Amino acid sequence: MKNHMQAPTPPMGWNSWNTFFDHINEELIFTTADAMVEQGLLAAGYEYLIIDDCWSMKDRSEDGKLVPDPEKFPHGMKAAADYVHSRGLKFGIYSCCGVRTCAGYPGSFEHEFADAAQFAEWGVDYLKYDNCYRPNNQTTPMLYRRMSMALRSSGRDILLAACQWGTDDVHHWIRSSGAHTFRSTIDIQDSWKSIESIASAQIENQCFNGPDCFNDMDMLVVGMYGKGLNPETSVGGCSDEEYQTHFALWAMMNSPLIIGCDIRSMSEKTKEILTNPDLIALNQDPECRSCYQIPVYGNPDAFILVKFLHNGDLALGFFNFSDVAANVTLDFWDIGLSYASGCSLRFYDCLSHRETGIQKEFFAPRVAAHGCKIYRCSIVEN
C-alpha cells in the first residue's frame, strides 16, 4: 500500500524570515534555490524553499485573490515555483489564519478554500500558516482544521506547517487538525539564551512528536552571526560551539530542520554543521522515536538525551548548558543497560565522524560550555 504521509520524517528546508524579513524578491529566491543545490544542501536533505511573510500586495484583487507584489515578484508566484521546481526543490509560501498576516498583509481568514486553490495553481508544496489577527471569537483548532480541509481539497499535496506558537494547548489537538508540523514556541532569536530556553521548554513535549505531525521548535539560526535584517530575530549572534549545540538539539528532538541564514554566503563551518550526515540521520531516522532526558547528578545545567533508532542503535546526546566546561556522566544502568546484562556500548562520534571505542558501565565525556557531544551507539556483548 502506498504511504500517503507527506511528512514521514521532519521536513528540511530553508525559510526567508530570519535573515531577510521583508527584503524578499524574485532574485533572492532564484539565487537561493541555486545555492541550495550547489552548496549540497538539497543532497543533504533540505528540499523545501519557503517564502515567508511580506510577499503579497497589501490588498486583495477585486475578485478577492491574493496578489504577489509586482516589484518583488515581477513574474508572479507560479514563475518562482517553476524555477524552484526546476532545481529539484519544493516550493513553500506563507499565509495566516487571521484577517491579516503578522506583518499586516492579507490573511486567509474566510478565504481558506480560494487561497488553497490559488496555492495549488501556483505549484505550492508547503504552507507556513501563522496565527496573527484572528477574530477573538474564533478558536485556533477550527481555523487550522479549516485550512487543512481546504488544502486537502485543492487537488495538490501541500504540507501544512501550523505556526501556532504553542498556545491554546496545541499539543493535544494539533494532530487531529491534519497539520504536518506545529510551531510550539515563540519566535527564536539569534542568541544562546533563546536556544537554551526553547530546548529546555520542549523536552517535556517530546511525547507529542511523531510521523506526519512534528513538534516544530522554530527555524535554525545556525550561521546568522547576528547579521540578519529581522530586528526581532537578529539580536547578537552565537558562537560556532553554540550553533553546533543548537543543531544537535533540533536533530535529536525531531524538530523540522529549516535553515534561516543566507546560504549563498555561509561559512565553511556553518555548512559543516548544517550538512552533518550523522546528525541529519538521527533527525531523519525512519522510526522518528522521541528522545527522553536523563539528568546529571550534581550538575543541574547538564543533561543527556537518549533516542532509540530503527536499527537497534541508540543516539546519546551529552549537553552542557553551563558557562564552564564539565564532565557529563552517564551510568549505563540509567538507560537500562546493567552490568548483569553482559553488554557494553560501542561509541561512534557524530561530530568527528569516527569510532571511539567500547565503554562499559559508564561514560563521562568532557563537554565545553554551551557545548555538546553526540554519539551513535550499538550494544555489544562483553
Side-chain angles (χ1 to χ4, degrees), residues 97-344:
C97 73
V99 176
R100 290 173 287 157
T101 71
C102 297
Y105 293 79
S108 289
F109 180 73
E110 289 287 88
H111 294 269
E112 290 89 354
F113 283 82
D115 287 356
Q118 192 170 7
F119 296 150
E121 182 181 335
W122 286 342
V124 169
D125 305 295
Y126 178 116
L127 175 65
K128 177 181 174 181
Y129 203 48
D130 221 332
N131 193 30
C132 287
Y133 298 112
R134 59 181 174 84
N136 289 329
N137 64 347
Q138 296 291 319
T139 65
T140 52
M142 175 58 72
L143 294 180
Y144 282 98
R145 289 168 189 156
R146 198 152 70 187
M147 179 51 86
S148 178
M149 193 184 310
L151 293 175
R152 289 163 185 265
S153 66
S154 71
R156 184 177 179 84
D157 288 337
I158 301 176
L159 186 151
L160 177 57
C163 185
Q164 204 277 338
W165 319 332
T167 62
D168 299 328
D169 206 24
V170 64
H171 298 86
H172 293 277
W173 55 261
I174 192 64
R175 178 174 285 276
S176 69
S177 77
H180 302 96
T181 71
F182 62 100
R183 265 280 300 284
S184 53
T185 73
I186 59 172
D187 285 4
I188 195 171
Q189 295 180 326
D190 187 13
S191 73
W192 170 248
K193 181 179 179 181
S194 177
I195 293 166
E196 179 183 13
S197 175
I198 289 174
S200 298
Q202 292 308 311
I203 288 174
E204 67 180 21
N205 291 324
Q206 283 293 287
C207 60
F208 297 100
N209 246 329
D212 228 26
C213 192
F214 290 98
N215 187 41
D216 182 359
M217 291 158 52
D218 205 1
M219 295 167 283
L220 298 164
V221 295
V222 175
M224 287 185 62
Y225 300 109
K227 296 178 181 178
L229 300 175
N230 187 331
E232 295 181 359
T233 301
S234 187
V235 295
C238 300
S239 68
D240 285 333
E241 187 82 54
E242 291 165 341
Y243 284 141
Q244 178 64 85
T245 302
H246 168 32
F247 188 77
L249 284 163
W250 267 232
M252 284 286 292
M253 295 170 72
N254 286 348
S255 178
L257 301 178
I258 308 296
I259 299 169
C261 71
D262 186 351
I263 60 172
R264 303 171 303 174
S265 58
M266 63 180 173
S267 68
E268 283 302 310
K269 184 60 179 179
T270 295
K271 181 178 178 180
E272 176 188 326
I273 293 171
L274 292 173
T275 60
N276 182 324
D278 293 318
L279 290 187
I280 290 174
L282 302 184
N283 180 261
Q284 298 290 300
D285 187 77
E287 284 195 16
C288 300
R289 296 285 176 183
S290 300
C291 58
Y292 64 91
Q293 182 185 31
I294 295 176
V296 174
Y297 179 76
N299 188 346
D301 295 319
F303 61 91
I304 297 155
L305 294 181
V306 185
K307 182 177 181 179
F308 288 112
L309 304 175
H310 78 284
N311 67 340
D313 287 352
L314 291 171
L316 299 179
F318 296 76
F319 295 93
N320 178 20
F321 281 7
S322 71
D323 296 330
V324 296
N327 291 333
V328 180
T329 303
L330 171 67
D331 292 313
F332 292 176
W333 191 94
D334 286 331
I335 62 171
L337 194 65
S338 65
Y339 179 78
S341 70
C343 294
S344 301

Side-chain angles (χ1 to χ4, degrees), residues 44 244 247-248 251 268-282 346-357 372-376:
Q244 178 64 85
F247 188 77
E268 283 302 310
K269 184 60 179 179
T270 295
K271 181 178 178 180
E272 176 188 326
I273 293 171
L274 292 173
T275 60
N276 182 324
D278 293 318
L279 290 187
I280 290 174
L282 302 184
R346 176 182 287 115
F347 279 71
Y348 172 86
D349 190 324
C350 293
L351 302 185
S352 66
H353 313 295
R354 61 186 180 88
E355 298 279 353
T356 58
C372 67
K373 298 283 187 180
I374 311 296
Y375 300 93
R376 188 176 186 123

